[in-house]
Amino acid sequence: MTGIDATRKSLIIAGGVFLFTLAWTFFLNQLGLTPDTLLAGVADLDFIAFILSLPFVLFAVTFSLTLALISASADKDDRGRIYAATIIPSLLATAIGAFLFPSFAQWYPLALFYFGSIPLILETSRMKRLELKNFVFFRSSFAGAQRGLQVLSIGILVTLSIVALPQNAVLFGGFEDALFQGKVLEQLDVQKITADFLIVTQRNTLTQIMESATFNAIREKNDPEVQAFVNVMDQTLDNVNSPTYRDQVNAQIATQQQKIDTSALAAQIENTVPGYKTIKTYYWLVAALMGTLLFMTIATFVIQPLSAVFGTLFNQFIPKNGGFGSTSTPYASSTGFENPYTAPEPVREEPPSPAVPQTPMYTPVDAPAPTPPQP
């Protein structure tokens, strides 16, 4: 993109920001990710499946393209023109997205933070290009995206907190259901642990009784009823050690587990586990922090690197008009592969020639009058 006037270049940048912004609002809506769904599923989210889904991949790419284009345009024209070319189309695109896409519209508290992050991206990118010497475009785009995503992280924490606070009891109830009846119990394999505990307890009890001196004395008696009792005890011990008995215990535990009163169990845990009441009271903040941590993880390992790569590419194609209002290039661009800097040869100065001695100049003085002879 060379040889174009400033107005046309600003329109091209504005058009790119508008299209990329509208695209990521669409893909965010396709994800179906709203503050409510994020808060409700934060404790039961299949993270790997989420980031590998096609809507998420397309959202990450288009959102990174938006940040990269904003960062790349930071020093390409006058400050006012660049601010207008990035903020105004962002406002228009998000307004249209909120009107067309219901899931995206629920993130409206985040809008202030998003628009506030744009000037920070521009200023951070510009300052980094003044400071850096190697890999300027990549590192400045990375720094600009990082600063913008930090602001967005604060905005997501505020947004999730606003949404979660009024429904704290509902969210915590869903967390308890997931804890006692969902994947948490499956991962802990409570059924197997309980069966092992019951069988070991019964086996140890029977063994302790049958190895006692009293039972051995009974075993020595010839009374038919006593011998029948001894045989029953031996058969019971053998039965406890058999695989068939283990299967029966597992089946009984599974039946009883379905009848667990979650509320009664939660009340018992609340009275015995330290800090459980505090978590229950402030679960809205816990859920908001977990959702923010999820976003920061995605931002750090996915969006920031993509923004740096795309920003490097955009910088190669967007011409520069002398930075923010200047007519000269404020920095020497570098890709990191230039030849080492070579200092210019010093200018040799000829030593001064020795001074030529000057002939002293005397002011002529009239000769004194002759002295008359003495008589």
Side-chain angles (χ1 to χ4, degrees):
M1 193 192 302
T2 58
I4 62 175
D5 58 68
T7 302
R8 183 182 175 189
K9 180 172 62 175
S10 298
L11 291 175
I12 293 174
I13 293 174
V17 172
F18 177 83
L19 292 177
F20 290 146
T21 303
L22 192 62
W24 67 254
T25 60
F26 170 76
F27 292 122
L28 181 61
N29 184 76
Q30 293 299 107
L31 270 174
L33 190 64
T34 65
D36 288 327
T37 57
L38 181 58
L39 290 168
V42 71
D44 191 29
L45 179 65
D46 191 345
F47 183 72
I48 301 299
F50 175 75
I51 63 175
L52 293 180
S53 64
L54 181 60
F56 173 79
V57 172
L58 295 176
F59 163 76
V61 170
T62 51
F63 189 72
S64 300
L65 285 169
T66 305
L67 298 183
L69 182 56
I70 293 173
S71 174
S73 62
D75 61 342
K76 303 303 182 182
D77 208 335
D78 178 77
R79 174 185 273 110
R81 187 177 286 115
I82 290 299
Y83 271 48
T86 52
I87 296 178
I88 293 177
S90 297
L91 284 167
L92 293 175
T94 52
I96 295 174
F99 178 76
L100 296 177
F101 312 130
S103 296
F104 170 72
Q106 297 185 38
W107 289 98
Y108 68 91
L110 188 59
L112 180 62
F113 294 89
Y114 177 72
F115 298 129
S117 70
I118 294 177
L120 290 178
I121 295 174
L122 293 171
E123 295 297 335
T124 301
S125 300
R126 175 179 176 269
M127 292 305 300
K128 287 298 180 181
R129 286 170 199 160
L130 293 172
E131 299 171 358
L132 299 173
K133 301 301 180 183
N134 296 315
F135 303 101
V136 174
F137 294 152
F138 183 90
R139 294 167 65 187
S140 62
S141 298
F142 188 92
Q146 183 182 44
R147 186 57 54 88
L149 292 170
Q150 288 172 349
V151 176
L152 286 179
S153 298
I154 299 174
I156 288 178
L157 177 61
V158 173
T159 302
L160 294 180
S161 299
I162 293 173
V163 175
L165 182 58
Q167 49 181 332
N168 183 65
V170 176
L171 291 174
F172 190 77
F175 168 74
E176 286 183 331
D177 291 340
L179 179 64
F180 299 128
Q181 298 178 359
K183 292 183 178 180
V184 177
L185 285 180
E186 294 178 4
Q187 293 173 356
L188 293 176
D189 202 355
V190 175
Q191 182 175 324
K192 182 179 181 300
I193 295 173
T194 306
D196 291 342
F197 175 77
L198 291 175
I199 292 174
V200 170
T201 302
Q202 293 174 3
R203 182 192 302 127
N204 292 340
T205 302
L206 288 171
T207 301
Q208 185 177 4
I209 293 173
M210 296 175 68
E211 290 180 353
S212 65
T214 303
F215 189 85
N216 288 330
I218 295 175
R219 187 185 292 275
E220 298 297 330
K221 294 184 179 181
N222 295 325
D223 187 283
E225 294 182 355
V226 173
Q227 290 299 317
F229 171 72
V230 172
N231 291 334
V232 170
M233 293 293 290
D234 290 336
Q235 292 174 3
T236 302
L237 182 59
D238 293 338
N239 184 43
V240 169
N241 292 324
S242 66
T244 303
Y245 183 74
R246 174 177 289 276
D247 293 338
Q248 293 175 356
V249 173
N250 283 329
Q252 292 176 358
I253 293 174
T255 301
Q256 294 300 321
Q257 187 173 333
Q258 296 176 355
K259 300 178 181 179
I260 292 178
D261 186 356
T262 304
S263 59
L265 181 60
Q268 183 178 1
I269 294 176
E270 182 177 346
N271 295 326
T272 55
V273 177
Y276 193 82
K277 290 183 178 180
T278 304
I279 296 176
K280 183 177 181 179
T281 303
Y282 296 101
Y283 183 74
W284 61 272
L285 182 58
V286 174
L289 288 172
M290 293 175 65
T292 305
L293 182 61
L294 176 63
F295 171 78
M296 293 178 65
T297 302
I298 295 173
T300 301
F301 295 103
V302 179
I303 297 177
Q304 282 180 219
L306 286 176
S307 300
V309 173
F310 294 144
T312 304
L313 297 176
F314 283 138
N315 268 291
Q316 301 300 324
F317 295 101
I318 302 177
K320 184 178 179 190
N321 289 355
F324 285 112
S326 67
T327 57
S328 61
T329 303
Y331 68 93
S333 61
S334 170
T335 60
F337 297 99
E338 289 83 0
N339 294 327
Y341 171 76
T342 303
E345 294 184 1
V347 179
R348 299 181 60 184
E349 297 182 359
E350 296 292 337
S353 57
V356 179
Q358 301 291 329
T359 303
M361 303 295 294
Y362 297 98
T363 303
V365 180
D366 295 335
T371 303
Q374 296 293 331

mmCIF file with all atom_site columns, all heavy atoms in Angstrom, residues 317-335:
data_model
loop_
_atom_site.group_PDB
_atom_site.id
_atom_site.type_symbol
_atom_site.label_atom_id
_atom_site.label_alt_id
_atom_site.label_comp_id
_atom_site.label_asym_id
_atom_site.label_entity_id
_atom_site.label_seq_id
_atom_site.pdbx_PDB_ins_code
_atom_site.Cartn_x
_atom_site.Cartn_y
_atom_site.Cartn_z
_atom_site.occupancy
_atom_site.B_iso_or_equiv
_atom_site.pdbx_formal_charge
_atom_site.auth_seq_id
_atom_site.auth_comp_id
_atom_site.auth_asym_id
_atom_site.auth_atom_id
_atom_site.pdbx_PDB_model_num
ATOM 1   N N   . PHE A 1 317 ? 2.749  -3.435 5.093  1.00 0.00 ? 317 PHE A N   1
ATOM 2   C CA  . PHE A 1 317 ? 1.930  -2.995 3.971  1.00 0.00 ? 317 PHE A CA  1
ATOM 3   C C   . PHE A 1 317 ? 1.283  -1.620 4.175  1.00 0.00 ? 317 PHE A C   1
ATOM 4   O O   . PHE A 1 317 ? 0.749  -1.054 3.229  1.00 0.00 ? 317 PHE A O   1
ATOM 5   C CB  . PHE A 1 317 ? 0.830  -4.027 3.685  1.00 0.00 ? 317 PHE A CB  1
ATOM 6   C CG  . PHE A 1 317 ? 1.362  -5.345 3.214  1.00 0.00 ? 317 PHE A CG  1
ATOM 7   C CD1 . PHE A 1 317 ? 1.467  -6.417 4.079  1.00 0.00 ? 317 PHE A CD1 1
ATOM 8   C CD2 . PHE A 1 317 ? 1.792  -5.507 1.905  1.00 0.00 ? 317 PHE A CD2 1
ATOM 9   C CE1 . PHE A 1 317 ? 1.974  -7.629 3.649  1.00 0.00 ? 317 PHE A CE1 1
ATOM 10  C CE2 . PHE A 1 317 ? 2.297  -6.716 1.460  1.00 0.00 ? 317 PHE A CE2 1
ATOM 11  C CZ  . PHE A 1 317 ? 2.389  -7.792 2.333  1.00 0.00 ? 317 PHE A CZ  1
ATOM 12  N N   . ILE A 1 318 ? 1.279  -1.137 5.401  1.00 0.00 ? 318 ILE A N   1
ATOM 13  C CA  . ILE A 1 318 ? 0.672  0.178  5.645  1.00 0.00 ? 318 ILE A CA  1
ATOM 14  C C   . ILE A 1 318 ? 1.764  1.232  5.579  1.00 0.00 ? 318 ILE A C   1
ATOM 15  O O   . ILE A 1 318 ? 2.687  1.212  6.393  1.00 0.00 ? 318 ILE A O   1
ATOM 16  C CB  . ILE A 1 318 ? -0.030 0.224  7.016  1.00 0.00 ? 318 ILE A CB  1
ATOM 17  C CG1 . ILE A 1 318 ? -1.105 -0.858 7.105  1.00 0.00 ? 318 ILE A CG1 1
ATOM 18  C CG2 . ILE A 1 318 ? -0.644 1.594  7.244  1.00 0.00 ? 318 ILE A CG2 1
ATOM 19  C CD1 . ILE A 1 318 ? -1.792 -0.919 8.454  1.00 0.00 ? 318 ILE A CD1 1
ATOM 20  N N   . PRO A 1 319 ? 1.706  2.178  4.640  1.00 0.00 ? 319 PRO A N   1
ATOM 21  C CA  . PRO A 1 319 ? 2.738  3.212  4.558  1.00 0.00 ? 319 PRO A CA  1
ATOM 22  C C   . PRO A 1 319 ? 2.624  4.192  5.708  1.00 0.00 ? 319 PRO A C   1
ATOM 23  O O   . PRO A 1 319 ? 1.584  4.314  6.352  1.00 0.00 ? 319 PRO A O   1
ATOM 24  C CB  . PRO A 1 319 ? 2.456  3.902  3.215  1.00 0.00 ? 319 PRO A CB  1
ATOM 25  C CG  . PRO A 1 319 ? 0.987  3.702  3.013  1.00 0.00 ? 319 PRO A CG  1
ATOM 26  C CD  . PRO A 1 319 ? 0.668  2.356  3.605  1.00 0.00 ? 319 PRO A CD  1
ATOM 27  N N   . LYS A 1 320 ? 3.687  4.886  5.911  1.00 0.00 ? 320 LYS A N   1
ATOM 28  C CA  . LYS A 1 320 ? 3.753  5.802  7.047  1.00 0.00 ? 320 LYS A CA  1
ATOM 29  C C   . LYS A 1 320 ? 3.897  7.235  6.570  1.00 0.00 ? 320 LYS A C   1
ATOM 30  O O   . LYS A 1 320 ? 4.653  7.510  5.650  1.00 0.00 ? 320 LYS A O   1
ATOM 31  C CB  . LYS A 1 320 ? 4.937  5.424  7.921  1.00 0.00 ? 320 LYS A CB  1
ATOM 32  C CG  . LYS A 1 320 ? 5.042  6.253  9.169  1.00 0.00 ? 320 LYS A CG  1
ATOM 33  C CD  . LYS A 1 320 ? 6.215  5.778  9.982  1.00 0.00 ? 320 LYS A CD  1
ATOM 34  C CE  . LYS A 1 320 ? 6.317  6.646  11.206 1.00 0.00 ? 320 LYS A CE  1
ATOM 35  N NZ  . LYS A 1 320 ? 7.543  6.411  11.933 1.00 0.00 ? 320 LYS A NZ  1
ATOM 36  N N   . ASN A 1 321 ? 3.187  8.128  7.237  1.00 0.00 ? 321 ASN A N   1
ATOM 37  C CA  . ASN A 1 321 ? 3.247  9.550  6.880  1.00 0.00 ? 321 ASN A CA  1
ATOM 38  C C   . ASN A 1 321 ? 3.968  10.360 7.945  1.00 0.00 ? 321 ASN A C   1
ATOM 39  O O   . ASN A 1 321 ? 3.551  11.429 8.317  1.00 0.00 ? 321 ASN A O   1
ATOM 40  C CB  . ASN A 1 321 ? 1.832  10.117 6.694  1.00 0.00 ? 321 ASN A CB  1
ATOM 41  C CG  . ASN A 1 321 ? 1.191  9.571  5.432  1.00 0.00 ? 321 ASN A CG  1
ATOM 42  O OD1 . ASN A 1 321 ? 1.822  8.864  4.674  1.00 0.00 ? 321 ASN A OD1 1
ATOM 43  N ND2 . ASN A 1 321 ? -0.076 9.891  5.235  1.00 0.00 ? 321 ASN A ND2 1
ATOM 44  N N   . GLY A 1 322 ? 5.001  9.812  8.501  1.00 0.00 ? 322 GLY A N   1
ATOM 45  C CA  . GLY A 1 322 ? 5.792  10.590 9.435  1.00 0.00 ? 322 GLY A CA  1
ATOM 46  C C   . GLY A 1 322 ? 5.307  10.600 10.851 1.00 0.00 ? 322 GLY A C   1
ATOM 47  O O   . GLY A 1 322 ? 5.601  11.507 11.596 1.00 0.00 ? 322 GLY A O   1
ATOM 48  N N   . GLY A 1 323 ? 4.546  9.562  11.266 1.00 0.00 ? 323 GLY A N   1
ATOM 49  C CA  . GLY A 1 323 ? 4.184  9.449  12.665 1.00 0.00 ? 323 GLY A CA  1
ATOM 50  C C   . GLY A 1 323 ? 3.066  10.380 13.052 1.00 0.00 ? 323 GLY A C   1
ATOM 51  O O   . GLY A 1 323 ? 2.293  10.838 12.223 1.00 0.00 ? 323 GLY A O   1
ATOM 52  N N   . PHE A 1 324 ? 2.962  10.675 14.327 1.00 0.00 ? 324 PHE A N   1
ATOM 53  C CA  . PHE A 1 324 ? 1.896  11.530 14.838 1.00 0.00 ? 324 PHE A CA  1
ATOM 54  C C   . PHE A 1 324 ? 2.237  12.993 14.585 1.00 0.00 ? 324 PHE A C   1
ATOM 55  O O   . PHE A 1 324 ? 2.820  13.681 15.416 1.00 0.00 ? 324 PHE A O   1
ATOM 56  C CB  . PHE A 1 324 ? 1.696  11.299 16.331 1.00 0.00 ? 324 PHE A CB  1
ATOM 57  C CG  . PHE A 1 324 ? 1.006  10.031 16.659 1.00 0.00 ? 324 PHE A CG  1
ATOM 58  C CD1 . PHE A 1 324 ? 1.672  9.008  17.288 1.00 0.00 ? 324 PHE A CD1 1
ATOM 59  C CD2 . PHE A 1 324 ? -0.327 9.845  16.336 1.00 0.00 ? 324 PHE A CD2 1
ATOM 60  C CE1 . PHE A 1 324 ? 1.027  7.834  17.613 1.00 0.00 ? 324 PHE A CE1 1
ATOM 61  C CE2 . PHE A 1 324 ? -0.972 8.674  16.649 1.00 0.00 ? 324 PHE A CE2 1
ATOM 62  C CZ  . PHE A 1 324 ? -0.290 7.660  17.282 1.00 0.00 ? 324 PHE A CZ  1
ATOM 63  N N   . GLY A 1 325 ? 1.894  13.466 13.406 1.00 0.00 ? 325 GLY A N   1
ATOM 64  C CA  . GLY A 1 325 ? 2.032  14.883 13.123 1.00 0.00 ? 325 GLY A CA  1
ATOM 65  C C   . GLY A 1 325 ? 3.418  15.342 12.754 1.00 0.00 ? 325 GLY A C   1
ATOM 66  O O   . GLY A 1 325 ? 3.634  16.525 12.577 1.00 0.00 ? 325 GLY A O   1
ATOM 67  N N   . SER A 1 326 ? 4.397  14.441 12.631 1.00 0.00 ? 326 SER A N   1
ATOM 68  C CA  . SER A 1 326 ? 5.741  14.844 12.239 1.00 0.00 ? 326 SER A CA  1
ATOM 69  C C   . SER A 1 326 ? 5.941  14.546 10.772 1.00 0.00 ? 326 SER A C   1
ATOM 70  O O   . SER A 1 326 ? 5.207  13.796 10.167 1.00 0.00 ? 326 SER A O   1
ATOM 71  C CB  . SER A 1 326 ? 6.790  14.117 13.084 1.00 0.00 ? 326 SER A CB  1
ATOM 72  O OG  . SER A 1 326 ? 6.777  12.740 12.774 1.00 0.00 ? 326 SER A OG  1
ATOM 73  N N   . THR A 1 327 ? 6.977  15.103 10.208 1.00 0.00 ? 327 THR A N   1
ATOM 74  C CA  . THR A 1 327 ? 7.268  14.889 8.792  1.00 0.00 ? 327 THR A CA  1
ATOM 75  C C   . THR A 1 327 ? 8.500  14.037 8.598  1.00 0.00 ? 327 THR A C   1
ATOM 76  O O   . THR A 1 327 ? 8.945  13.839 7.475  1.00 0.00 ? 327 THR A O   1
ATOM 77  C CB  . THR A 1 327 ? 7.479  16.240 8.098  1.00 0.00 ? 327 THR A CB  1
ATOM 78  O OG1 . THR A 1 327 ? 8.537  16.941 8.755  1.00 0.00 ? 327 THR A OG1 1
ATOM 79  C CG2 . THR A 1 327 ? 6.206  17.062 8.129  1.00 0.00 ? 327 THR A CG2 1
ATOM 80  N N   . SER A 1 328 ? 9.074  13.538 9.681  1.00 0.00 ? 328 SER A N   1
ATOM 81  C CA  . SER A 1 328 ? 10.244 12.680 9.575  1.00 0.00 ? 328 SER A CA  1
ATOM 82  C C   . SER A 1 328 ? 9.989  11.396 10.326 1.00 0.00 ? 328 SER A C   1
ATOM 83  O O   . SER A 1 328 ? 9.172  11.342 11.230 1.00 0.00 ? 328 SER A O   1
ATOM 84  C CB  . SER A 1 328 ? 11.475 13.387 10.157 1.00 0.00 ? 328 SER A CB  1
ATOM 85  O OG  . SER A 1 328 ? 11.254 13.678 11.521 1.00 0.00 ? 328 SER A OG  1
ATOM 86  N N   . THR A 1 329 ? 10.716 10.391 9.956  1.00 0.00 ? 329 THR A N   1
ATOM 87  C CA  . THR A 1 329 ? 10.551 9.087  10.596 1.00 0.00 ? 329 THR A CA  1
ATOM 88  C C   . THR A 1 329 ? 11.120 9.132  11.997 1.00 0.00 ? 329 THR A C   1
ATOM 89  O O   . THR A 1 329 ? 12.306 9.419  12.176 1.00 0.00 ? 329 THR A O   1
ATOM 90  C CB  . THR A 1 329 ? 11.273 7.999  9.782  1.00 0.00 ? 329 THR A CB  1
ATOM 91  O OG1 . THR A 1 329 ? 10.759 8.025  8.470  1.00 0.00 ? 329 THR A OG1 1
ATOM 92  C CG2 . THR A 1 329 ? 11.044 6.644  10.403 1.00 0.00 ? 329 THR A CG2 1
ATOM 93  N N   . PRO A 1 330 ? 10.317 8.835  13.057 1.00 0.00 ? 330 PRO A N   1
ATOM 94  C CA  . PRO A 1 330 ? 10.829 8.966  14.416 1.00 0.00 ? 330 PRO A CA  1
ATOM 95  C C   . PRO A 1 330 ? 11.677 7.807  14.850 1.00 0.00 ? 330 PRO A C   1
ATOM 96  O O   . PRO A 1 330 ? 12.270 7.832  15.898 1.00 0.00 ? 330 PRO A O   1
ATOM 97  C CB  . PRO A 1 330 ? 9.544  9.045  15.258 1.00 0.00 ? 330 PRO A CB  1
ATOM 98  C CG  . PRO A 1 330 ? 8.548  8.271  14.471 1.00 0.00 ? 330 PRO A CG  1
ATOM 99  C CD  . PRO A 1 330 ? 8.884  8.516  13.038 1.00 0.00 ? 330 PRO A CD  1
ATOM 100 N N   . TYR A 1 331 ? 11.727 6.745  14.072 1.00 0.00 ? 331 TYR A N   1
ATOM 101 C CA  . TYR A 1 331 ? 12.545 5.606  14.468 1.00 0.00 ? 331 TYR A CA  1
ATOM 102 C C   . TYR A 1 331 ? 13.026 4.913  13.201 1.00 0.00 ? 331 TYR A C   1
ATOM 103 O O   . TYR A 1 331 ? 12.440 5.018  12.140 1.00 0.00 ? 331 TYR A O   1
ATOM 104 C CB  . TYR A 1 331 ? 11.763 4.624  15.335 1.00 0.00 ? 331 TYR A CB  1
ATOM 105 C CG  . TYR A 1 331 ? 10.673 3.913  14.593 1.00 0.00 ? 331 TYR A CG  1
ATOM 106 C CD1 . TYR A 1 331 ? 10.886 2.676  14.002 1.00 0.00 ? 331 TYR A CD1 1
ATOM 107 C CD2 . TYR A 1 331 ? 9.425  4.512  14.457 1.00 0.00 ? 331 TYR A CD2 1
ATOM 108 C CE1 . TYR A 1 331 ? 9.882  2.044  13.295 1.00 0.00 ? 331 TYR A CE1 1
ATOM 109 C CE2 . TYR A 1 331 ? 8.420  3.882  13.755 1.00 0.00 ? 331 TYR A CE2 1
ATOM 110 C CZ  . TYR A 1 331 ? 8.647  2.651  13.175 1.00 0.00 ? 331 TYR A CZ  1
ATOM 111 O OH  . TYR A 1 331 ? 7.666  2.020  12.484 1.00 0.00 ? 331 TYR A OH  1
ATOM 112 N N   . ALA A 1 332 ? 14.111 4.211  13.310 1.00 0.00 ? 332 ALA A N   1
ATOM 113 C CA  . ALA A 1 332 ? 14.612 3.416  12.198 1.00 0.00 ? 332 ALA A CA  1
ATOM 114 C C   . ALA A 1 332 ? 14.057 2.022  12.321 1.00 0.00 ? 332 ALA A C   1
ATOM 115 O O   . ALA A 1 332 ? 14.349 1.309  13.270 1.00 0.00 ? 332 ALA A O   1
ATOM 116 C CB  . ALA A 1 332 ? 16.147 3.392  12.222 1.00 0.00 ? 332 ALA A CB  1
ATOM 117 N N   . SER A 1 333 ? 13.206 1.613  11.402 1.00 0.00 ? 333 SER A N   1
ATOM 118 C CA  . SER A 1 333 ? 12.581 0.304  11.485 1.00 0.00 ? 333 SER A CA  1
ATOM 119 C C   . SER A 1 333 ? 13.626 -0.790 11.340 1.00 0.00 ? 333 SER A C   1
ATOM 120 O O   . SER A 1 333 ? 14.638 -0.637 10.660 1.00 0.00 ? 333 SER A O   1
ATOM 121 C CB  . SER A 1 333 ? 11.514 0.157  10.393 1.00 0.00 ? 333 SER A CB  1
ATOM 122 O OG  . SER A 1 333 ? 12.116 0.274  9.128  1.00 0.00 ? 333 SER A OG  1
ATOM 123 N N   . SER A 1 334 ? 13.366 -1.909 12.002 1.00 0.00 ? 334 SER A N   1
ATOM 124 C CA  . SER A 1 334 ? 14.308 -3.013 11.992 1.00 0.00 ? 334 SER A CA  1
ATOM 125 C C   . SER A 1 334 ? 13.557 -4.318 12.040 1.00 0.00 ? 334 SER A C   1
ATOM 126 O O   . SER A 1 334 ? 12.580 -4.454 12.759 1.00 0.00 ? 334 SER A O   1
ATOM 127 C CB  . SER A 1 334 ? 15.250 -2.914 13.204 1.00 0.00 ? 334 SER A CB  1
ATOM 128 O OG  . SER A 1 334 ? 16.009 -4.096 13.340 1.00 0.00 ? 334 SER A OG  1
ATOM 129 N N   . THR A 1 335 ? 14.001 -5.275 11.257 1.00 0.00 ? 335 THR A N   1
ATOM 130 C CA  . THR A 1 335 ? 13.418 -6.617 11.300 1.00 0.00 ? 335 THR A CA  1
ATOM 131 C C   . THR A 1 335 ? 14.223 -7.543 12.169 1.00 0.00 ? 335 THR A C   1
ATOM 132 O O   . THR A 1 335 ? 13.821 -8.676 12.409 1.00 0.00 ? 335 THR A O   1
ATOM 133 C CB  . THR A 1 335 ? 13.363 -7.211 9.885  1.00 0.00 ? 335 THR A CB  1
ATOM 134 O OG1 . THR A 1 335 ? 14.685 -7.293 9.360  1.00 0.00 ? 335 THR A OG1 1
ATOM 135 C CG2 . THR A 1 335 ? 12.514 -6.353 8.968  1.00 0.00 ? 335 THR A CG2 1
#
